[in-house]
Amino acid sequence: MIVLESKKVDMKGVSPALKHTVNILATVLAGAVAFVFFAYGFSYRSLPFIEKNLLLLISVSSSVIGLLVLAYIVLYVFNKQAFYRLITCALLFIDICAIVFFVICATGLITKINSIQALRDYIAKFGNMAVFLFILFCFLQVVILPIPGSVAVAAGVALFGPLKCAIYSFIGIILGSVVAFAIGRWVGYKAVKWIVGEDTLKKWLAKLKGKDYLILSLMFLLPMFPDDVLCFIAGLSSMTWPYFLIMITITRAISVFTTAYSVGLIPFNTWWGILIWAIIFTSFIWAKQDKK
């Protein structure tokens, strides 16, 4: 557990107590930003669904954000780095979603996008920029954002269709995987330790010692392992660049194209489809964290 001692001063002249306080306040602020933008977005009551369920939407969003902030504080106090950093990334992603939601509500855009086809038609107006943004999102999903790749691919199918989504997702995910490997290979242990957490890193390095080629290849192919984290760790292993590029290309292609063409089996426009995808998303998050 973290001990907040105001008398100790680190090398940079900042006391641990002040550092911990700033980290916690920054997380509370991130939660507050998300709540404010969601609340203002809901206040426009742009859709009948929002008008009818305004109080419920505000209550649910505020409860989820509040629980994330509370979980961060508890995990931070007990120094569970991998988990509280994941929550930090999640809150930053929620902030982005809240701001985008507010903008499309404030501009009235949300009323013009009432179906998947309408959404595709709107995105098509942006041409290559929409494609670039989606590829960037897939890239960030590997390097920064705590979102399973399958969820990003599922969203892309709704926007572009399975084939184009698979191609765009593959480009972004491959670029992110290469950057993650490069960080581990060129920047080194300290950078990867900060990104994935020291305990997580030590566990994986111990597991991979002497058999990194075989184990990493199998883990990248199977969906229950944290493949994004493993890209960073692979950079610290003895794996060579040529082997990594070939292996990651094959395994990512299999996972991305399989996901893209299986998404159509579970629709997004029914309550049971949404429920199944919510369960899949939760299961992926749990499984990946459990493997850490």
Side-chain angles (χ1 to χ4, degrees):
M1 184 182 295
I2 294 175
V3 180
L4 308 181
E5 298 180 358
S6 58
K7 292 183 179 180
K8 289 187 177 180
V9 178
D10 62 20
M11 294 177 62
K12 296 182 180 179
V14 179
S15 68
L18 178 59
K19 177 182 176 182
H20 300 320
T21 301
V22 169
N23 288 338
I24 291 174
L25 289 178
T27 302
V28 173
L29 178 61
V33 168
F35 172 75
V36 168
F37 278 99
F38 273 129
Y40 273 109
F42 291 140
S43 69
Y44 283 92
R45 307 184 183 191
S46 308
L47 299 174
F49 176 79
I50 295 178
E51 175 75 28
K52 183 178 179 180
N53 301 281
L54 180 62
L55 292 179
L56 176 62
L57 290 170
I58 293 177
S59 299
V60 170
S61 59
S62 60
S63 298
V64 170
I65 294 168
L67 287 173
L68 283 174
V69 172
L70 180 60
Y72 173 90
I73 294 173
V74 172
L75 293 170
Y76 187 89
V77 168
F78 285 91
N79 199 27
K80 302 294 183 179
Q81 290 185 351
F83 292 98
Y84 73 68
R85 284 174 178 168
L86 176 68
I87 293 177
T88 298
C89 294
L91 284 172
L92 291 176
F93 178 69
I94 292 174
D95 282 344
I96 295 172
C97 292
I99 293 171
V100 171
F101 174 71
F102 167 75
V103 170
I104 64 175
C105 287
T107 58
L109 177 61
I110 194 172
T111 61
K112 301 177 183 179
I113 304 176
N114 51 17
S115 68
I116 293 298
Q117 188 57 48
L119 179 59
R120 288 179 181 174
D121 292 341
Y122 180 81
I123 290 176
K125 296 178 182 179
F126 292 91
N128 293 333
M129 181 56 69
V131 174
F132 170 77
L133 290 176
F134 181 71
I135 291 175
L136 177 62
F137 175 77
C138 292
F139 169 82
L140 294 176
Q141 172 261 316
V142 177
V143 181
I144 300 175
L145 301 177
I147 305 171
S150 58
V151 176
V153 173
V157 170
L159 301 178
F160 303 105
L163 179 59
K164 290 183 178 180
C165 165
I167 295 172
Y168 301 153
S169 300
F170 179 74
I171 293 172
I173 291 174
I174 283 294
L175 290 175
S177 300
V178 170
V179 169
F181 184 86
I183 290 175
R185 179 57 47 91
W186 294 334
V187 180
Y189 183 89
K190 289 185 178 180
V192 179
K193 181 181 73 173
W194 187 92
I195 294 170
V196 305
E198 185 173 12
D199 293 338
T200 300
L201 180 56
K202 286 181 177 180
K203 288 179 182 177
W204 279 111
L205 289 178
K207 292 177 181 178
L208 297 174
K209 189 174 182 180
K211 41 190 175 179
D212 45 359
Y213 278 72
L214 175 61
I215 293 180
L216 283 172
S217 298
L218 291 174
M219 287 179 175
F220 276 112
L221 190 59
L222 299 175
M224 73 284 297
F225 292 99
D227 43 10
D228 300 333
V229 171
L230 291 176
C231 288
F232 291 99
I233 296 175
L236 295 175
S237 71
S238 62
M239 186 175 290
T240 64
W241 268 106
Y243 183 90
F244 175 79
L245 292 175
I246 295 173
M247 181 270 297
I248 201 67
T249 298
I250 295 173
T251 56
R252 294 293 201 182
I254 292 173
S255 62
V256 168
F257 279 83
T258 300
T259 302
Y261 278 94
S262 63
V263 163
L265 300 176
I266 308 175
F268 287 92
N269 56 355
T270 63
W271 68 267
W272 60 269
I274 295 174
L275 177 60
I276 291 175
W277 279 113
I279 293 173
I280 291 174
F281 177 82
T282 304
S283 299
F284 263 92
I285 291 292
W286 176 84
K288 287 177 180 288
Q289 289 307 305
D290 182 62
K291 296 299 178 184
K292 291 179 182 182

